[in-house]
């Protein structure tokens, strides 16, 4: 990699701008509401772009490109059925509960609807999930710096080997994010997420155009890849006839319903952006505005991975001898621009249980940038990657410090402190949240696709939570004891299923099978989908059964918290483009059309 002055200048300007936003906003952080909820004063379009950008962190940009290389256009299911319907649902049906109840977080809504023990359980599980998700973003950033050899010369000057690159990157990245969240809170995160949205488009759209031109356009890409890599629904009748390794029911139920609705409808990371809006109408339109660009993002984040696997095979393993480089005839080689994954402990190529080399799909985007981008464009692309990292990690940190302060610290540790004290605690939570994320970053090194790891985390946390929310919002008979028992049962079911299954080619451990082996799935993603299905179903059934034998709350206590007991917002006076129901129908129609086009 040869970065020129203009490449470094683009990245430098970005960092100055990011930190400058934090310093500029610090003087406005006068209360905990300012720090945690941006004072509930932002317009719908800002919240909408932040809503999508909070889900456009390094794990999505790098992870979706990795999944594009590993699974092909079938990865688009994470958007067209795994996001859009749920985003419409949360905007039309669920946002009135969140925003109207004036809850400051998702766990706080659970305390209003159910009880404190349900709130506490969700707060702890969500805080754990944000730590893992933030760690994944940190891992992605460290991998990028490692692959691009950015720190090689400084480390050599200090007498340190290249093996320190990953560790130093983890520390430096944590410090950078700490500064700008510590200063400006959620407002700083949201405005930087808006900036990041435009950087992603500007940085990766030229990359896609250059890559497509190189492989002969979409027709050339279809020629170079297996047919099921360029058709999203082809082979879905059987788990063994498509790249995802999952049949249509597992896809629609596991991803399209459980994981999708569980994430977009209950994950405080994204809901927090809508709750920062300046009105109920703006809050409801926030996810619908975000859904419009979300539908076309497969073009920007999935296609690069498909192109990376389709370009002519390059040498990815070599032995350096003397003054020349000789190709090793025994060293395993990658595919296209995707190299073989190297074991961080031994420095040797990794193989699965079938003896096949494990490909490092997470390097699809970095290698595409190095392969295609000239001076200037390379700096812009790298800055876009840096922005995605900043956004992903900062989004999780802002969600973590809010839930920790309001739903754990204030509720169970220090109940009657001043608002100034809770503002201070939020800043302290930012510090130790980042420290915990560093540990999670090392766990991510065991996965060759960070989206696999992320979906596994969601299956444990969001899948059972969505069952609880679904029943709590639409069935007034649901009780607090049932919600708590259901959540525990759903999480336990996820752990049991994961502990008894493995994806093909994996060994028992962090990928499953730690309780024994009952079933082997064709892929990591198939295991994740079915883990989510078991978690949701168990929670749903247990919650209903326990609700039938426990006493429900009086209806007057549930006004504004249950759909049948909540006044519906009036929209007749609004123009059509501001009516959530009309926008929702339009968005669903476009998503259906895209599924038909790429059938």
């Amino acid at each position: 990699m040869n970065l020129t002055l203009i490449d470094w200048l683009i990245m430098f300007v970005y960092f100055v701008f990011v930190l400058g936003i934090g310093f500029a906003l610090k003087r406005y952080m006068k209360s905990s509401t300012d720090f945690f909820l941006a004072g509930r004063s932002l317009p719908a379009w800002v919240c909408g772009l932040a809503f999508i950008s909070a889900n456009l962190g390094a794990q999505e940009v790098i992870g979706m490109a990795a999944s594009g290389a590993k699974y092909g256009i079938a990865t688009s299911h994470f958007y067209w059925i795994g996001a859009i319907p749920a985003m419409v649902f949360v905007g039309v049906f669920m946002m009135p509960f969140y925003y109207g109840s004036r809850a400051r977080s998702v766990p706080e809504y659970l305390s209003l609807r159910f009880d404190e023990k349900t709130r506490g359980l969700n707060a702890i599980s969500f805080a754990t999930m944000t730590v893992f998700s933030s760690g994944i973003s940190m891992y992605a950033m460290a991998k990028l710096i490692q692959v691009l050899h950015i720190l090689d010369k400084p480390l050599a000057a200090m007498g340190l080997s290249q093996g320190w690159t990953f560790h130093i990157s983890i520390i430096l990245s944590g410090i950078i994010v700490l500064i700008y969240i510590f200063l400006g809170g959620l407002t700083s995160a949201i405005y930087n997420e808006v900036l990041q949205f435009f950087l992603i488009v500007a940085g990766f759209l030229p990359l896609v155009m250059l890559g497509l031109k190189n492989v002969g356009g979409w027709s050339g890409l279809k020629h170079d890849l297996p047919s099921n890599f360029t058709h999203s629904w082809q082979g879905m009748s059987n788990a063994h006839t498509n790249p995802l390794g999952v049949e249509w029911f597992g896809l629609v139920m596991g991803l399209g319903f459980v994981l999708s609705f569980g994430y977009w409808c209950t994950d405080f990371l994204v809901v927090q952006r809508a709750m920062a809006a300046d009105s109920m109408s703006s809050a409801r339109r926030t996810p619908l505005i975000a859904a419009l660009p979300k539908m076309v993002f497969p073009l920007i984040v999935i296609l690069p991975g498909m192109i990376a696997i389709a370009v002519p095979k390059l040498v990815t393993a070599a032995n350096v001898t003397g003054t020349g480089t000789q190709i090793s005839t025994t060293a395993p080689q990658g595919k296209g621009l995707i190299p073989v994954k190297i074991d961080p402990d031994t420095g040797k190529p990794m193989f699965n249980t079938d003896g096949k080399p494990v490909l490092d799909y997470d390097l699809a985007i970095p290698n595409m940038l190095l392969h295609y981008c000239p001076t200037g464009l390379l700096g812009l692309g790298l800055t876009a990657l840096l922005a995605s990292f900043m956004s992903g990690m900062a989004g999780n940190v802002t969600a973590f410090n809010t839930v920790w302060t309001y739903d754990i610290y204030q509720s169970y540790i220090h109940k009657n402190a001043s608002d100034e004290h809770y503002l201070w605690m939020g800043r302290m939570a930012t510090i130790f949240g980042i420290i915990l994320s560093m540990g999670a970053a090392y766990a991510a090194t065991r996965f060759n696709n960070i989206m696999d790891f992320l979906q596994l985390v969601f299956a444990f946390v969001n899948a059972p939570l969505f069952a609880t929310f679904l029943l709590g919002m639409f069935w007034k008979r649901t009780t607090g004891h049932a919600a708590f028992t259901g959540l525990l049962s759903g999480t336990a079911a996820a752990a049991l299923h994961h502990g008894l299954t493995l994806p093909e080619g994996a060994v028992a451990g962090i990928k499953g099978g730690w309780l024994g082996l009952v079933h082997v799935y064709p892929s990591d993603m198939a295991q994740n989908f079915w883990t989510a299905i078991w978690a949701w179903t168990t929670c749903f059934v247990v919650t209903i059964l326990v609700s039938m034998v426990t006493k429900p709350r009086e209806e007057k206590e549930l006004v504004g918290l249950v759909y049948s007991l909540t006044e519906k917002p009036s929209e007749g006076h609004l123009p059509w483009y501001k009516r959530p129901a009309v926008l929702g129908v339009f968005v669903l129609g476009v998503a259906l059309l895209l599924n038909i086009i790429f059938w």
Side-chain angles (χ1 to χ4, degrees):
M1 180 192 64
N2 292 311
L3 291 178
T4 63
L5 179 61
I6 190 170
D7 295 318
W8 286 109
L9 184 61
I10 291 172
M11 287 187 282
F12 176 75
V13 169
Y14 168 72
F15 278 111
V16 170
F17 197 88
V18 165
L19 295 175
I21 289 177
F23 280 102
L25 292 173
K26 183 178 184 296
R27 62 193 177 101
Y28 297 105
M29 300 298 108
K30 298 179 180 179
S31 69
S32 61
T33 301
D34 295 331
F35 187 79
F36 296 120
L37 292 175
R40 291 197 166 189
S41 61
L42 302 179
W45 72 269
V46 171
C47 294
L49 292 182
F51 193 91
I52 184 177
S53 295
N55 182 247
L56 197 59
Q59 61 256 45
E60 172 146 348
V61 174
I62 292 181
M64 281 299 179
S67 293
K70 188 175 182 179
Y71 304 121
I73 197 65
T75 307
S76 65
H77 289 309
F78 284 94
Y79 293 81
W80 300 334
I81 71 168
I84 302 304
M87 294 170 77
V88 171
F89 186 81
V90 71
V92 174
F93 294 105
M94 297 187 74
M95 197 49 63
F97 300 111
Y98 286 136
Y99 198 90
S101 68
R102 305 299 291 180
R104 299 168 298 182
S105 66
V106 168
E108 187 169 35
Y109 171 82
L110 288 174
S111 73
L112 296 173
R113 172 61 182 90
F114 297 117
D115 52 30
E116 281 297 321
K117 64 179 181 293
T118 306
R119 173 193 198 169
L121 177 61
N122 175 242
I124 292 171
S125 62
F126 177 77
T128 303
M129 185 187 73
T130 56
V131 165
F132 274 107
S133 188
S134 180
I136 290 172
S137 291
M138 191 178 288
Y139 159 76
M141 182 64 179
K143 281 285 298 238
L144 173 67
I145 295 174
Q146 190 176 42
V147 169
L148 300 181
H149 302 283
I150 294 175
L151 297 181
D152 285 4
K153 290 184 178 179
L155 289 177
M158 293 186 292
L160 299 175
S161 68
Q162 293 182 9
W164 281 91
T165 301
F166 187 86
H167 311 297
I168 298 297
S169 300
I170 292 289
I171 296 172
L172 289 178
S173 60
I175 291 174
I176 292 170
V177 173
L178 170 64
I179 293 173
Y180 95 85
I181 294 300
F182 188 90
L183 294 173
L186 179 63
T187 310
S188 180
I190 286 178
Y191 279 117
N192 275 298
E193 284 163 358
V194 174
L195 170 65
Q196 175 232 354
F197 173 83
F198 292 108
L199 276 174
I200 290 290
V201 174
F204 289 143
L205 190 57
L207 178 66
V208 172
M209 296 173 66
L210 289 171
L212 278 177
K213 182 180 180 180
N214 181 240
V215 298
W218 177 250
S219 59
L221 189 63
K222 291 175 68 175
H223 178 269
D224 294 336
L225 294 174
S227 61
N228 57 7
F229 259 63
T230 54
H231 292 274
S232 60
W233 287 96
Q234 189 177 91
M236 284 294 173
S237 60
N238 189 288
H240 296 278
T241 57
N242 65 85
L244 275 177
V246 61
E247 75 293 337
W248 70 268
F249 178 80
L251 176 71
V252 173
M253 181 67 179
L255 173 63
F257 181 64
V258 177
L259 283 172
S260 171
F261 280 70
Y263 176 77
W264 293 102
C265 297
T266 69
D267 195 312
F268 182 56
L269 168 64
V270 290
V271 172
Q272 187 180 28
R273 272 71 191 152
M275 292 172 70
D278 56 11
S279 67
M280 170 71 81
S281 176
S282 294
R284 296 186 72 196
R285 283 184 282 122
T286 290
L288 300 174
I289 292 172
L292 295 172
K294 182 74 174 178
M295 285 187 288
V296 298
F297 257 83
L299 170 68
I300 295 177
V301 296
I302 294 176
L303 269 184
M306 297 174 64
I307 295 169
I309 208 76
V311 298
K313 180 178 288 188
L314 300 180
V315 175
T316 55
N319 290 331
V320 179
T321 57
T323 58
T325 301
Q326 298 180 346
I327 304 305
S328 171
T329 58
T330 59
Q333 296 187 11
K335 188 174 183 180
L337 296 178
I338 310 298
V340 174
K341 189 175 180 69
I342 302 299
D343 190 315
D345 298 325
T346 65
K348 297 180 179 180
M350 297 176 63
F351 297 86
N352 62 20
T353 56
D354 297 327
K356 298 178 181 179
V358 177
L359 299 183
D360 201 345
Y361 294 105
D362 289 337
L363 297 183
I365 281 288
N367 285 349
M368 281 283 289
L369 288 172
L370 293 176
H371 187 68
Y372 284 111
C373 290
T375 296
L377 199 56
L378 176 59
L380 186 61
L382 291 177
T383 302
L385 268 183
L386 293 174
S388 71
F389 153 75
M390 301 283 281
S391 172
M393 188 173 175
N396 281 286
V397 170
T398 54
F400 173 84
N401 62 28
T402 303
V403 168
W404 165 264
T405 303
Y406 283 150
D407 299 296
I408 298 176
Y409 184 77
Q410 185 181 30
S411 297
Y412 305 107
I413 300 174
H414 201 339
K415 291 187 176 183
N416 299 311
S418 64
D419 187 74
E420 183 180 359
H421 177 78
Y422 292 128
L423 175 59
W424 172 84
M425 175 49 64
R427 289 195 163 110
M428 293 303 102
T430 303
I431 296 174
F432 63 75
I434 286 178
I435 294 174
L436 292 174
S437 299
M438 292 179 178
Y442 287 93
T445 62
R446 298 303 174 182
F447 286 73
N448 70 329
N449 179 351
I450 57 178
M451 278 304 295
D452 290 338
F453 186 27
L454 195 62
Q455 294 304 318
L456 176 61
V457 174
F458 289 159
F460 271 77
V461 179
N462 287 2
L465 181 61
F466 175 57
T468 302
F469 267 88
L470 198 63
L471 289 170
M473 286 186 168
F474 297 98
W475 188 38
K476 59 186 178 183
R477 183 72 177 76
T478 312
T479 68
H481 295 309
F484 180 78
T485 306
L487 280 176
L488 283 179
S489 301
T491 304
L496 181 63
H497 178 267
H498 185 257
L500 293 174
T501 62
L502 271 174
E504 196 172 275
V507 296
I510 196 170
K511 287 195 174 186
W514 36 274
L515 292 176
L517 186 58
V518 174
H519 183 73
V520 176
Y521 287 99
S523 68
D524 298 72
M525 205 61 77
Q527 182 196 35
N528 294 338
F529 290 169
W530 279 101
T531 298
I533 291 172
W534 278 101
W536 183 88
T537 304
T538 302
C539 180
F540 192 80
V541 172
V542 169
T543 303
I544 291 176
L545 293 177
V546 177
S547 291
M548 298 303 295
V549 297
T550 51
K551 182 180 179 181
R553 295 173 62 183
E554 295 183 15
E555 289 190 3
K556 64 181 181 180
E557 298 177 2
L558 300 177
V559 175
L561 300 173
V562 177
Y563 187 77
S564 61
L565 301 175
T566 301
E567 184 180 355
K568 309 304 180 290
S570 175
E571 301 173 357
H573 64 287
L574 297 174
W576 69 268
Y577 56 87
K578 287 189 176 182
R579 298 180 188 178
V582 176
L583 282 175
V585 171
F586 173 75
V587 168
L588 290 175
V590 176
L592 178 61
L593 180 62
L594 288 170
N595 272 286
I596 294 173
I597 292 174
F598 290 93
W599 183 272

